[in-house]
Every structure is written in C-alpha cells, then in structure tokens.
Amino acid sequence: MPALRPLSLITGASAGIGAAFARELAARGHDLVLVARRTDRLQALAEDLHQRHGAQAHVLPADLADPTAPRQLVDALQKQGLTVDWLVNNAGYGVPGTFDASDWPVHADFLQVLLNAPTELAWRLLPGMRERGYGRIVNVASLAGHVPGSAGHTLYAASKAYLIKFSQSLALENRHHGVHVCALCPGFTWSEFHDVTGTRALVGKLPRFMWQDADTVVREGIEAVERGEPVHVTGRVNRAIKALAKLTPDRLALWLSARESRRYRQLD
C-alpha cells in the first residue's frame, strides 16, 4: 500500500505536462519533488500547490543533461530521508532540423536527458519501490514512438520508441512486486514544447482535433498506470493513428511520413 501521502518525483515539472502532473497528483493527496532547471518556476508552483492542496513540495533544481544529475538527485533525497513512491520521467525537448545540422554536444545532451537520465532514475529508485511493495513509474513517451520516423527532429521518435520498449520490459519484471510502469504516449499537446523548438507556426496549421490539453493527457496517464497498463496512447485520434501505422506497409508509411513531415518539422 502507498504511504498516507505518496511522494511523487516529477522531472521537467516547471511547465507543460510536468506541471500538469504536479497539479493533478497534488490534488490527489501527493507530496512532490519538483525537478527542472528553472528554480523560480518550481518555487512558484510549489507555493501554489501548497496553498491549494496542502502539498509539501520539495524543489530540487537540476539540469539532467549533466550525467551526474540523477545520482545527485537521489543522494539529496536520501539525505532528507525522502522515499519516492511515484517517478514521472517527463523532462524532454526536441532538437529541430536534420541530424547533421547540430553539433554532437547538442545531440549528446539530448540523449542524456531523454534516454540516460530517465533510465538511471528508474534504476536508482526501483529497488526501494520493490522493497516496500509499491511504486509507480510513468515514462512520458510519445505517439511518435509508434509511427515511422520523420525527417527532422531525428532523435526524438527514436528516443520515445526506446522509452516504450523499456517501460514494457520494466512493467513485466515488476508486476508481481507492486510496481506499475507505464509509457505514456501523447500526440500533439498544448504546451511550450513547440515554442522552444521554434515550430509553433508549423504545428499551428494542424487541425484542432489532433490536439489535447496537458491536463487531459495527465489524467489518462495516471489512470493507465494505476490499471497496470504498460503503454497508453492518449486520445481516440492518436490511438487511431497508431493502429493505422501498424497496418500500413512500411514503404507507404515512410512515404506518408516524408510528405507529412514538411507540415510540422523544421528541416533546415
């Protein structure tokens, strides 16, 4: 059974889906560990959640592009005597343009944040969850991990596909230990993501029915991990896209991906 007030660690908690997770979990009686680079935003969010829900929110600023950050975060938790019941690996971003358009350190930082950091945090926090017989791990992946790769943002879909497979294996290994693992796979979500990548004007041309708000995505994710669902694609439209992608022959799927990439990917 979880603690009276479970403790949830959320990466990328300063905005978007991460902040929505913080709001929803606080409303459900969780205390929080908020992790991101922007200390001012984390502190403002922590104060708001304490006033609204009585949640105790610990602010731990960190740059997950630093390979030492996951270990330092867990060390800081241990020093404060905090045990994590929920881990939400949400931190992420996109690198616009083609693969050769960015220097290697840019890609190295991306891989550290989207692959290494969530994997290491799960590895460091999972033993305590298993020992206590309760835990929840949500890896925020993407519909992009289920469909053919696109030109531009070259590593994004690949990293999300990794999180999906990783979550499936981790879920199978821990389902008899009271630990549920879920790869949450939203499609286009209203957030700062596309502003940061500079693709807001492009994706803004997509029809509104393809979009979800972050709060809806988060509620679906929480319900899915509680059910023990290893992978959850949010929204009927996104689930239909996933199903069509699986049924479409590879050559046709790649042709469609190449055509559609121009609508929402920066290719220079």
Side-chain angles (χ1 to χ4, degrees):
M1 294 293 294
L4 185 61
R5 290 189 65 88
L7 182 65
S8 297
L9 187 155
I10 304 166
T11 67
S14 60
I17 291 175
F21 260 110
R23 291 191 298 268
E24 184 66 23
L25 289 171
R28 296 181 184 223
H30 289 224
D31 289 330
L32 305 164
V33 177
L34 305 176
V35 177
R37 292 177 299 172
R38 294 177 285 189
T39 306
D40 55 341
R41 286 202 176 191
L42 293 181
Q43 290 175 337
L45 179 60
E47 292 170 6
D48 179 64
L49 296 179
H50 180 69
Q51 291 175 2
R52 288 176 182 268
H53 306 293
Q56 183 177 5
H58 306 269
V59 171
L60 291 182
D63 183 356
L64 293 177
D66 179 352
T68 67
R71 176 180 54 78
Q72 291 177 352
L73 282 173
V74 175
D75 286 348
L77 294 172
Q78 292 175 344
K79 289 178 181 178
Q80 297 181 53
L82 299 173
T83 55
V84 173
D85 301 293
W86 281 60
L87 169 62
V88 180
N89 280 315
N90 166 75
Y93 59 97
V95 177
T98 57
F99 187 57
D100 62 339
S102 296
D103 294 335
W104 175 246
V106 174
H107 294 311
D109 285 351
F110 176 91
L111 293 171
Q112 176 62 35
V113 173
L114 275 84
L115 295 183
N116 293 348
T119 306
E120 183 176 351
L121 284 171
W123 179 80
R124 291 186 178 277
L125 295 173
L126 180 61
M129 295 179 180
R130 286 172 61 114
E131 183 179 347
R132 295 187 297 273
Y134 176 83
R136 302 289 184 263
I137 298 175
V138 179
N139 294 315
V140 179
S142 171
L143 175 64
H146 291 285
V147 300
S150 63
H153 294 250
T154 319
L155 297 178
Y156 187 78
S159 69
K160 296 304 185 179
Y162 165 84
L163 284 178
I164 292 167
K165 296 301 184 183
F166 173 58
S167 299
Q168 289 174 324
S169 295
L170 211 57
L172 291 174
E173 292 172 2
N174 293 282
R175 60 183 179 178
H176 298 305
H177 297 276
V179 179
H180 296 181
V181 183
C182 179
L184 177 62
C185 303
F188 290 104
T189 306
W190 298 111
S191 71
E192 295 180 356
F193 179 89
H194 300 289
D195 299 311
V196 174
T197 60
T199 56
R200 172 62 62 191
L202 289 173
V203 298
K205 299 175 183 178
L206 296 171
R208 292 187 65 85
F209 69 80
M210 295 188 67
W211 292 84
Q212 287 185 295
D213 62 85
D215 292 337
T216 300
V217 168
V218 165
R219 285 192 294 270
E220 284 197 41
I222 291 173
E223 292 164 4
V225 74
E226 288 284 39
R227 289 194 301 267
E229 193 174 339
V231 179
H232 180 75
V233 178
T234 65
R236 294 180 180 178
V237 170
N238 294 327
R239 289 192 285 272
I241 292 172
K242 176 195 171 186
L244 287 171
K246 291 185 70 173
L247 294 172
T248 304
D250 288 348
R251 181 174 295 182
L252 176 58
L254 284 171
W255 178 81
L256 290 170
S257 177
R259 188 187 71 175
E260 295 300 309
S261 291
R262 301 185 185 93
R263 299 178 61 186
Y264 58 91
R265 291 289 192 243
Q266 181 178 323
L267 300 180
D268 52 12

